[in-house]
Amino acid sequence: MTAIPYSLTARHKGFNRAEIVDQNFIEFVQLWQGEVHTPHGDHAPVLPGSSLDARGFCELLESQLISRHLDLMARVLRVQNKVFYTIGSSGHEGNAMVARLTRHTDPAFLHYRSGGFMAERFRKLPGMDPVMDSALSFAASMEDPASGGRHKVWGSKPLWVLPQTSTIASHLPKALGTAVAIEQARRIGHQLPIPEDSIAICSFGDASSNHATAQTAFNAAGWTAYQKLPAPVLYVCEDNGIGISVKTPSGWVANNFRHRADLDYFFADGLDLAEGYAQVQAAVEHCRSTRRPTFLHLKTTRVMGHAGTDFEIEWRSVEELFAVEAGDPLLRSAEIALSSGLYTRESLLALYEATRKRCFEAAEDADRRPRLTSLEQVMKPLAPYTPAAVKAEAERADYQDRRLAAFGGEDKLPEKQPPRHLAIQIGQALHDIMAKYPESLLFGEDVAQKGGVYTVTKGLHKTFKGSRVFNTLLDETIILGLAQGYANMGMLPIPEIQYLAYFHNACDQIRGEAASLQFFSNDQYRNPIVMRVASLGYQKGFGGHFHNDNSIAALRDIPGLVVGCPSRGDDAATMLRTMTALSKVDGRVCAYLEPIALYMTKDLYEAGDGQWQFAYPAPGEAMALGEGRLYHEDANDLVVFTFGNGVTMALRAARTIEAELGWKVRVVDLRWLAPLNDAFIAAQAKSAKRILVLDEGRRSAGVGEGIITAIVEGGSGATPLERVVGADTYTPLAGAALLVLPGEADVVAAARKMA
């Protein structure tokens, strides 16, 4: 290519990088002198030996120019406060080839440097405008069709680009989950919303490939393929050699991925359309035909800083920056355009300036469109809730034939059995849910043949077979990534996290991915998931921190997440019905916390009394979101607010308090922990002479703090109040656990204090 004198001289004049990159292209075209090869017709190779035809090249070039000028526009208008995002795609425009060679029905989970991909994918459907849609997103306009102005994201509902603002590599597990779900649908007879031979596309940077979340996704992809199970995911590593300012060692990506078993490696030159097109095509065709996980190593560069605030001259040498700018893929595309005779210098510059004008005009237009101006507008898609529709769905019981098949006949229906304890009734409720929803899947560690470590899922694998109830590899991140993939494809996933402590390993799959999708897609995409988690403390015989985790704060902090915790079997069934209805109707992500210590509890006061076993609620019964349960409803000398293990503890302590102090004690089982029903809590507190908050979680950031806030803000701040909570420590092994967790004696002592 022709030498570029501009970069070195302009830098001494105080020009910014965007101006330099812009001027480099113009001068390169103006100064170009070379031989011209003229292709014969639209479908002739753009250059001898290339598999890319002339028409395809021209369209790819236009997509590259759109991407570049959106970047340049953002750098200029950000300082005018007209756009709000400057992480650009310059140097990555070769990803447009991936878009051209795939379909608009191939779900895509994209890296933030995907402007070229998006511009090209917009061609797949008539009447769509990549420039205006992108400008609206840059401007944070309410009319942004991707997120409704909530963030600059690459996304489009009709183009199957799921909007996201992933943390580093956090979208890779759900991309694999989507690929697996495409194949799983056939096995369970589920109708996909996309063609059966679709593939999932996932792009990311070379630096991100080192992240633990990326590595777990690659491992799970290989684990799947090793067992001859289809997983048609195309992982596109856009290797620009740098992560913000940290350089990737030369050759690292190729050496790290070229020889991985069951992750098929392809290389493509993303800097050269003529050279890279066939290479990308080979990877796409391989993934689609073999249904194997495929790693496409796409060579790119980054010709401007990470974002507008990244002044690279402060940490990169002039010579290095000059070399980077000389490798700009748009210069190579310009060379192809000129040497092929498809453009003259004048016509190419005219296209370049026309694209600039189009992008700036769209941005100015977008700046005049309305933006989010109220909290209500911001939060509207976060946690949709339609109570009447949810109630109707939860109580729907039109699946009697499937119920009879699942339970083995009329006389074996659970509502016709004697009262049972929590573990049994959760299992019965799961049978019910899976009979009701043929698209539901239950999976996790040890849930299939073994029936879970506490036998809660016993019998489900035999009843619904391995295509719907199955074990996963020991990796919570992938379990939740699979759940998102199944949800993307219209199924109802019920993943199990074996212990609450294990959830924290994978929290971002719910916090940053699953629960945020409705918000960042303006409710266009949803993640209907019911996550079951064996939880809380007081487990005997198999204790310690990892099996007695009461840290619910990490769940309650997640915007939009529904968290419920039943303490008895009948509540477990009706709550599960409502959670699945919330997922089906409103697309909600739900966390269903199962108190391990209550799984097998049959007695309440004395051994053999059987007072903690309950009749199974027949179909048609459900529990409303936020609805609590009251014990001794008319008592008001002391009102105890609690949940989970605290319910039985409070009921036992109440007998002692009544005998000793003569008080009538009302126990309030909240059942729903997020969102807390503040109005219900306040109403119960107002009639109380004294209040006690019993929370087995830690003193700091526990549910109890939320309960007290609701009480005080509800007007009962002057009522005598005590809090009985766990200590701010990890839970030790054996009997020492009871030193850090609240007990009945602590509840009684708190009552005496108020007396």
Side-chain angles (χ1 to χ4, degrees), residues 101-102 148 159 167 186 215 239 276 353 415 513 559 660 699:
L101 288 161
T102 54
L159 295 175
T167 52
R186 185 183 302 110
Q215 292 296 323
D239 184 0
E353 293 303 330
E415 61 268 29
E513 295 293 340
E660 183 177 318
R699 177 171 295 275

Side-chain angles (χ1 to χ4, degrees), residues 133-147:
D133 279 12
S134 299
L136 290 166
S137 186
F138 276 103
S141 167
M142 285 180 65
E143 297 177 16
D144 162 29
S147 75

Side-chain angles (χ1 to χ4, degrees), residues 256-465:
N256 195 11
F257 290 95
R258 186 187 292 123
H259 303 298
R260 288 202 184 194
D262 296 306
L263 184 60
D264 302 339
Y265 176 91
F266 289 78
F267 173 82
D269 188 348
L271 304 177
D272 187 333
L273 297 182
E275 179 70 21
Y277 193 78
Q279 298 166 332
V280 173
Q281 186 174 31
V284 171
E285 291 179 353
H286 173 84
C287 185
R288 196 178 304 281
S289 62
T290 65
R291 319 304 287 165
R292 284 175 56 83
T294 304
F295 187 95
L296 173 58
H297 181 191
L298 187 68
K299 182 181 179 182
T300 62
T301 189
R302 196 184 78 197
V303 298
M304 293 193 285
H306 174 72
T309 55
D310 181 14
F311 299 104
E312 289 181 293
I313 191 63
E314 296 178 352
W315 55 274
R316 298 182 90 172
S317 69
V318 168
E319 292 73 20
E320 184 180 354
L321 290 173
F322 177 68
V324 168
E325 290 159 9
D328 185 344
L330 261 63
L331 303 185
R332 174 57 180 153
S333 293
E335 183 180 43
I336 296 170
L338 296 168
S339 63
S340 66
L342 292 171
Y343 289 88
T344 64
R345 286 178 294 184
E346 293 74 20
S347 64
L348 183 54
L349 288 175
L351 175 63
Y352 188 77
E353 293 303 330
T355 308
R356 183 201 305 276
K357 182 173 183 289
R358 182 183 173 192
C359 290
F360 270 85
E361 287 179 348
E364 295 288 355
D365 185 0
D367 180 51
R368 294 187 289 269
R369 306 289 182 93
R371 294 191 173 98
L372 299 168
T373 57
S374 71
L375 180 61
E376 182 182 7
Q377 290 173 339
V378 170
M379 294 183 64
K380 184 178 180 181
L382 175 64
Y385 178 42
T386 50
V390 169
K391 183 176 187 293
E393 178 61 24
E395 295 175 353
R396 179 172 64 83
D398 57 354
Y399 59 104
Q400 185 67 7
D401 289 346
R402 294 197 299 273
R403 281 196 90 222
L404 292 173
F407 288 107
E410 183 80 28
D411 58 334
K412 294 184 179 180
L413 291 175
E415 61 268 29
K416 297 190 175 183
Q417 308 307 312
R420 303 302 295 271
H421 53 279
L422 180 66
I424 292 292
Q425 293 198 332
I426 291 176
Q428 292 170 331
L430 289 170
H431 277 80
D432 239 341
I433 291 298
M434 296 196 72
K436 183 173 182 177
Y437 299 107
E439 70 275 21
S440 61
L441 304 165
L442 187 144
F443 50 94
E445 300 160 15
D446 303 301
V447 301
Q449 292 88 341
K450 180 177 174 61
V453 293
Y454 298 101
T455 69
V456 175
T457 59
K458 183 179 180 180
L460 285 165
H461 180 264
K462 182 178 180 180
T463 300
F464 298 103
K465 312 307 178 189

Side-chain angles (χ1 to χ4, degrees), residues 518-539:
Q518 281 181 279
F519 183 77
F520 287 118
S521 72
N522 202 17
D523 202 21
Q524 296 177 87
Y525 283 101
R526 295 176 162 192
N527 267 319
I529 296 171
V530 178
M531 175 181 67
R532 295 178 47 247
V533 190
S535 307
L536 307 182
Y538 304 99
Q539 183 181 187

